[in-house]
Amino acid sequence: DLHCDEVTTDILCNTDNREECKRQSNNEQSIPFLSHLISTTWVHDEDLGRGFLLLADGGRSGRIWRWEVGGGPITIGRSLHMEWSGCRSGLWVDGEGTKMRNGTCPDNIFSGSMSSCSKNALEQKTSSPPLLGSASLAVELTRDAERSSIGKNIVVAEWGERRIVRVEGETGARTPLVVLVPPPKQNDKVEIDGDGLEEGGEAAQVRVKRPNHLTYTPFGDLLFSDNRDNVGIVYRLKEAVHVQPISAEQSRDAHGWERSSIEDQADQNNIDILFQSDAAVEGLALGSDYSILYILVASPGGKTVYRLLLDSDDDDGSGDAPSDEAKEGERVRSSVFYSMSSDDCDNDQLVYNDSVGSKLSVDDKGTLYIITCSSTVTLLSQEEGRVISTLTLQGTESLTSIGFGEDGYLYMTSPNELRRIKTRIGGMVLPTNLVVPKPSKSAAADGDKQRRQKRDKK
């Protein structure tokens, strides 16, 4: 079940509750089954006059769930928002580490009943599903909208298709936003999938592998992460809000595209690397003034939050996780904001599973909320990264994500549960009046033109 106010203990079929299991089995109905909840995002519907929470399910071929409280006396609760949200074609499933045959999307589970006594539920609890579903969600930023959560288009990170798409609210078409990205750099060499190492020269593009942590900036850029071969990378898709939509007819063919549009794009400079680390990225969050990006990375030995200075009018470029010695004359753009060892978790173990889940969020006052141990949330002050509070939850499942709704609750997920806590402080509010206007054939305004030139300067 999808629990929201409290955690309940599932009933397993055994000799002590056989009568209860028999009663529930007689009332079986085919319902979708939660597989592996990974992240959430809040959407405000102007037509309904209220908002709802979308949940990304990364298990198997993926689902997007919807949780909402109705305007009347009856709570609407959970509903299925989208089926097969991460894998549809199977064209990009290679079988390695997915427990699936090459070119095959796994079937999503339908349990026999809401009870965990069902056979499918019991199998789900005793085995880990292949993670080829939807890893992260975001509402596309709309210029001059009343709030950033208002938008018809939802951006989805598809692990089975190895791409990031925008689901068009008007047509349902899936417009590819990100397919190819610059590869991670290793010393003076560039890693190329399937082609060994390429010495110097212009690096070939590679298909994104495990896109995650979708985050819009106030200017309409889309930030996201990718973890590949023990390297965590943060990318930026410049002016993502202006990517042209494709038609519903093109959407099916787009699964096989090797680039983000049907045309053979020679210029891929709209995506750049902002940060690279030898640990997995577990979360991204903008600071309260939007000039700082907080990056949570994790390894088996512990977790670290980096503080990355985003580009301003007089500072451009990208930065790696800081090394012991900076190069002479080099301006350090990233710094360690907070770090912890796995030993700090004591009996509450640190769970490291290659960035499955968005474990970092920021409230309206700038306080950072981080899932540090399996059932512990640590609150950090934005000034100096000092621990100001901790929140420990009861339950048997490890937390996978944390995020704010606009209904006064802080939401947290574990693989099969949604939890919420009432909070007096909401999440950080993103302005919409700073989105760069859509380019036109006529000359752009001087301010926007200069900004683009400075930001794109190498």
Side-chain angles (χ1 to χ4, degrees):
D1 293 356
L2 188 62
H3 306 294
C4 206
D5 288 318
E6 60 182 358
V7 179
T8 60
T9 303
D10 288 331
I11 304 172
L12 297 178
C13 297
N14 54 43
T15 55
D16 297 329
N17 59 16
R18 187 167 295 166
E19 291 300 321
E20 175 67 12
C21 286
K22 183 177 179 180
R23 182 185 66 80
Q24 293 185 9
S25 297
N26 290 336
N27 296 321
E28 285 187 305
Q29 55 179 333
S30 179
I31 63 165
F33 193 82
L34 296 177
S35 187
H36 196 109
L37 299 179
I38 290 182
S39 66
T40 63
T41 194
W42 187 267
V43 181
H44 184 82
D45 191 314
E46 288 186 298
D47 296 332
L48 292 177
R50 65 173 187 267
F52 52 86
L53 191 74
L54 290 183
L55 302 96
D57 193 333
R60 308 189 72 81
S61 285
R63 289 183 170 117
I64 297 176
W65 302 92
R66 176 168 167 163
W67 169 266
E68 60 187 314
V69 177
I74 300 177
T75 298
I76 298 174
R78 177 186 73 170
S79 60
L80 183 60
H81 184 78
M82 183 184 298
E83 184 70 284
W84 299 80
S85 58
C87 189
R88 291 193 171 193
S89 69
L91 294 173
W92 306 100
V93 177
D94 59 13
E96 182 180 354
T98 63
K99 306 177 185 178
M100 300 303 299
R101 297 190 307 273
N102 289 0
T104 303
C105 288
D107 291 333
N108 284 335
I109 290 179
F110 285 81
S111 65
S113 72
M114 292 288 283
S115 167
S116 58
C117 293
S118 74
K119 179 180 178 182
N120 282 335
L122 186 58
E123 290 177 350
Q124 177 74 9
K125 287 182 174 292
T126 56
S127 62
S128 299
L131 297 178
L132 294 171
S134 44
S136 182
L137 307 171
V139 179
E140 184 180 50
L141 201 61
T142 302
R143 180 177 171 87
D144 293 331
E146 182 180 345
R147 60 181 79 182
S148 60
S149 60
I150 294 177
K152 299 294 186 181
N153 303 333
I154 303 297
V155 181
V156 183
E158 300 180 330
W159 276 7
E161 302 295 332
R162 293 181 59 183
R163 62 179 187 170
I164 298 173
V165 299
R166 183 181 63 212
V167 181
E168 308 294 344
E170 297 295 330
T171 64
R174 298 185 176 214
T175 299
L177 299 182
V178 177
V179 176
L180 298 181
V181 293
K185 295 181 179 180
Q186 294 186 345
N187 299 324
D188 295 329
K189 299 180 179 180
V190 176
E191 182 180 2
I192 308 298
D193 283 354
D195 295 323
L197 296 174
E198 180 179 291
E199 297 278 358
E202 187 69 21
Q205 301 287 314
V206 296
R207 193 175 185 95
V208 68
K209 192 171 186 178
R210 303 287 268 185
N212 209 340
H213 310 120
L214 306 177
T215 304
Y216 273 99
T217 73
F219 309 108
D221 301 337
L222 178 64
L223 310 180
F224 62 96
S225 71
D226 190 18
N227 292 310
R228 54 193 314 134
D229 305 312
N230 300 316
V231 177
I233 314 162
V234 177
Y235 293 99
R236 173 181 58 186
L237 172 61
K238 304 171 188 175
E239 299 181 21
V241 294
H242 298 317
V243 174
Q244 292 297 314
I246 64 173
S247 66
E249 291 74 18
Q250 291 176 311
S251 184
R252 182 179 296 273
D253 295 335
H255 289 286
W257 292 355
E258 295 184 356
R259 296 184 180 272
S260 57
S261 73
I262 195 170
E263 294 86 5
D264 183 16
Q265 296 179 0
D267 183 10
Q268 292 288 317
N269 292 327
N270 59 333
I271 297 179
D272 56 0
I273 295 177
L274 296 182
F275 177 89
Q276 180 172 315
S277 173
D278 57 358
V281 177
E282 281 202 331
L284 303 177
L286 288 172
S288 56
D289 65 353
Y290 321 119
S291 66
I292 300 297
L293 178 67
Y294 295 101
I295 305 169
L296 174 64
V297 301
S299 67
K303 296 191 178 185
T304 302
V305 178
Y306 290 100
R307 186 176 182 271
L308 177 68
L309 177 65
L310 292 177
D311 295 348
S312 62
D313 287 343
D314 59 357
D315 179 31
D316 293 275
S318 62
D320 297 339
S323 58
D324 294 336
E325 295 183 5
K327 296 179 181 179
E328 183 178 356
E330 179 181 352
R331 180 175 180 180
V332 178
R333 298 180 58 249
S334 63
S335 58
V336 174
F337 183 72
Y338 170 79
S339 64
M340 61 165 290
S341 167
S342 57
D343 296 335
D344 297 335
C345 289
D346 296 327
N347 295 327
D348 186 15
Q349 64 178 346
L350 184 147
V351 177
Y352 169 73
N353 50 8
D354 194 21
S355 182
V356 177
S358 296
K359 301 181 176 68
L360 172 63
S361 189
V362 175
D363 70 16
D364 193 41
K365 302 296 184 182
T367 303
L368 280 69
Y369 294 66
I370 305 167
I371 298 175
T372 47
C373 308
S374 60
S375 59
T376 300
V377 177
T378 300
L379 279 63
L380 304 177
S381 66
Q382 67 171 338
E383 289 82 11
E384 52 193 23
R386 177 175 53 87
V387 176
I388 58 178
S389 183
T390 58
L391 173 65
T392 301
L393 284 79
Q394 302 297 319
T396 57
E397 290 190 323
S398 299
L399 297 176
T400 56
S401 76
I402 185 168
F404 287 90
E406 294 180 2
D407 56 350
Y409 285 94
L410 174 67
Y411 288 91
M412 289 160 284
T413 62
S414 58
N416 301 110
E417 296 171 336
L418 171 67
R419 313 178 191 191
R420 69 179 183 180
I421 297 176
K422 192 71 175 177
T423 176
R424 290 174 295 177
I425 302 175
M428 190 191 70
V429 178
L430 198 67
T432 63
N433 61 341
L434 300 178
V435 176
V436 175
K438 185 177 181 179
S440 62
K441 294 182 179 179
S442 60
D446 291 341
D448 293 329
K449 184 176 181 180
Q450 291 176 4
R451 179 186 177 277
R452 289 190 178 102
Q453 289 175 343
K454 288 185 178 181
R455 190 188 60 182
D456 297 341
K457 181 177 62 180
K458 300 302 180 182

